[in-house]
Amino acid sequence: MLIAARAAQGVSAAAASPATFTLLTTTHAEGPERTRAIAVWTAVSLAGGGFGNIASGLLTDLISWRATLLINLPIGVCVVIAALVLHRRTTDRCGAGRIDFIGAGLATAAFTCAIYAVSVAGEGVSGGLLAVVGSLAVAMFVVLVRQQRRTSHKLVPSDLAQDRLIVLGNIATALTGACFQVGLWYFLTYRMQTQFGYSPIQAGLAFLPLTASMLTVNLWFTPRLMNRHAPRVLIVIGAVVAVPGLLWLTVVDDGPFAVAVLVPTAMIGIGGGLMNTPLAALVTTGVRPEHAGAASGLMNTAKQFGGAIGLAAATTAAAIAGTDRAAFVLMSVALLAVIATASAIPAQSSEPQPAKTTGKAS
């Protein structure tokens, strides 16, 4: 029941999240205006995640962990109301498009098998089962590639798939997601409650330094820095700042709050705040308005898949090593790979495409 419900939530989020980002990229022209809009979009996401941690801790402590599943109900109502308001205020109407259900199904099944294979690798399951699931994932990825070459309604338009900047930007997004999307929050929560003895409320509040530092840097400093520096430069700097914080968590797993949590999470938050907006801006650079939805969906897929495969790999590494330190080492390696990927991103991008500037929609 829980897995089915989460799958339904995933399908809904896959539609809603890219749509909100597409709205920004199609109503704000490339440059400072879009950068500011993306910074606010990412800041709202970060604030929501931080508030969710605190609210979850309160509900778990005061009621039950099952109460955390109710958080999305009022949020969903607000999203529906906002969508209805935007629908009335937007004058432009998009033409009907076709969804490649076969490609979407193959991609989902392939990703699921890959994540499952990685997640159970450290649980002592039979090698035969692991080989079957892993082979099935590879086979479905191969079938997906062949199917996408033949279909006229590709999941990722050829213009995006052949753009080196877009491809490398999404690889960097996936690698960043392996650290920031799920894994970091999961393992910090686990450490704080099992090793430090924090209650759910205390663990939720302990994330405030991470959330606050990431939110402050992302909203107030990053947009200004992007006026002077290329996105790839800020991505590299952000990773360089965050990696020492992750290595700190690898070495220090006890002690007072300031040493064991505050300092390293603040460093990680500053680094993450420098990376979020540049990554989002990078993967939409030069994208034509008709491909804005596909670019947003690709970014969301990279982020979610990176987070899922990163968590699976981190849990396997921790199980094999017998300590959560291995998980933080793996996250550090992922961010080092981000540095290498960002360094390979072209310095010059194609000319940006004009956005539809409809004052009412924006």
Side-chain angles (χ1 to χ4, degrees):
M1 178 78 72
L2 184 60
I3 293 174
R6 292 290 289 167
Q9 285 183 312
V11 172
S12 302
S17 183
T20 61
F21 191 70
T22 301
L23 182 65
L24 297 183
T25 58
T26 55
T27 56
H28 295 77
E30 286 187 23
E33 181 186 6
R34 181 183 292 184
T35 297
R36 186 64 182 173
I38 292 176
V40 173
W41 183 84
T42 53
V44 169
S45 300
L46 295 171
F51 174 76
N53 268 340
I54 297 173
S56 297
L58 288 170
L59 291 172
T60 300
D61 245 5
L62 301 179
I63 305 176
S64 165
W65 69 266
R66 291 175 175 81
T68 63
L69 302 176
L70 300 175
I71 291 177
N72 282 341
L73 292 180
I75 294 175
V77 171
C78 293
V79 170
V80 170
I81 294 174
L84 292 174
V85 172
L86 288 172
H87 179 72
R88 295 193 188 100
R89 295 179 62 186
T90 303
T91 56
D92 293 339
R93 293 291 181 265
C94 297
R98 291 184 58 184
I99 300 176
D100 181 9
F101 287 105
I102 296 177
L106 286 170
T108 302
F111 284 147
T112 301
C113 288
I115 293 168
Y116 180 78
V118 173
S119 64
V120 300
E123 295 182 359
V125 298
S126 65
L129 175 61
L130 192 59
V132 169
V133 177
S135 299
L136 188 59
V138 173
M140 282 191 288
F141 275 122
V142 172
V143 173
L144 174 63
V145 171
R146 292 176 62 88
Q147 186 266 346
Q148 287 295 294
R149 287 178 177 176
R150 296 178 179 179
T151 183
S152 57
H153 302 281
K154 302 181 186 302
L155 293 175
V156 180
S158 300
D159 289 354
L160 299 183
Q162 297 172 4
D163 190 319
R164 185 183 175 192
L165 186 149
I166 301 296
V167 171
L168 291 176
N170 278 287
I171 292 175
T173 298
L175 291 168
T176 303
C179 173
F180 288 99
Q181 189 68 16
V182 185
L184 179 63
W185 306 85
Y186 175 85
F187 280 98
L188 275 177
T189 301
Y190 185 81
R191 174 178 286 189
M192 287 188 287
Q193 291 198 252
T194 59
Q195 293 182 226
F196 300 165
Y198 290 1
S199 68
I201 292 179
Q202 290 174 322
L205 292 173
F207 278 102
L208 282 176
L210 174 62
T211 303
S213 58
M214 196 179 301
L215 187 63
T216 301
V217 172
N218 182 84
L219 191 58
W220 298 107
F221 294 98
T222 301
R224 293 175 173 83
L225 291 172
M226 288 185 67
N227 292 330
R228 302 179 180 180
H229 305 284
R232 65 173 187 167
V233 174
L234 295 182
I235 294 169
V236 170
I237 294 175
V240 168
V241 173
V243 167
L246 289 168
L247 294 178
W248 186 308
L249 292 173
T250 302
V251 176
V252 180
D253 62 354
D254 59 10
F257 172 78
V259 175
V261 178
L262 176 60
V263 172
T265 57
M267 293 172 63
I268 296 170
I270 293 171
L274 289 170
M275 298 170 69
N276 284 309
T277 296
L279 279 170
L282 196 66
V283 296
T284 56
T285 299
V287 175
R288 299 205 302 267
E290 62 267 27
H291 290 159
S296 300
L298 183 60
M299 181 193 72
N300 189 63
T301 300
K303 185 186 298 184
Q304 297 296 334
F305 177 68
I309 200 71
L311 177 61
T315 53
T316 296
I320 294 175
T323 173
D324 65 352
R325 295 185 178 189
F328 294 111
V329 170
L330 191 65
M331 294 178 208
S332 302
V333 172
L335 290 190
L336 291 176
V338 169
I339 296 175
T341 304
S343 300
I345 292 175
Q348 299 293 330
S349 63
S350 57
E351 288 296 321
Q353 299 296 323
K356 298 178 182 179
T357 53
T358 55
K360 292 183 178 180
S362 61

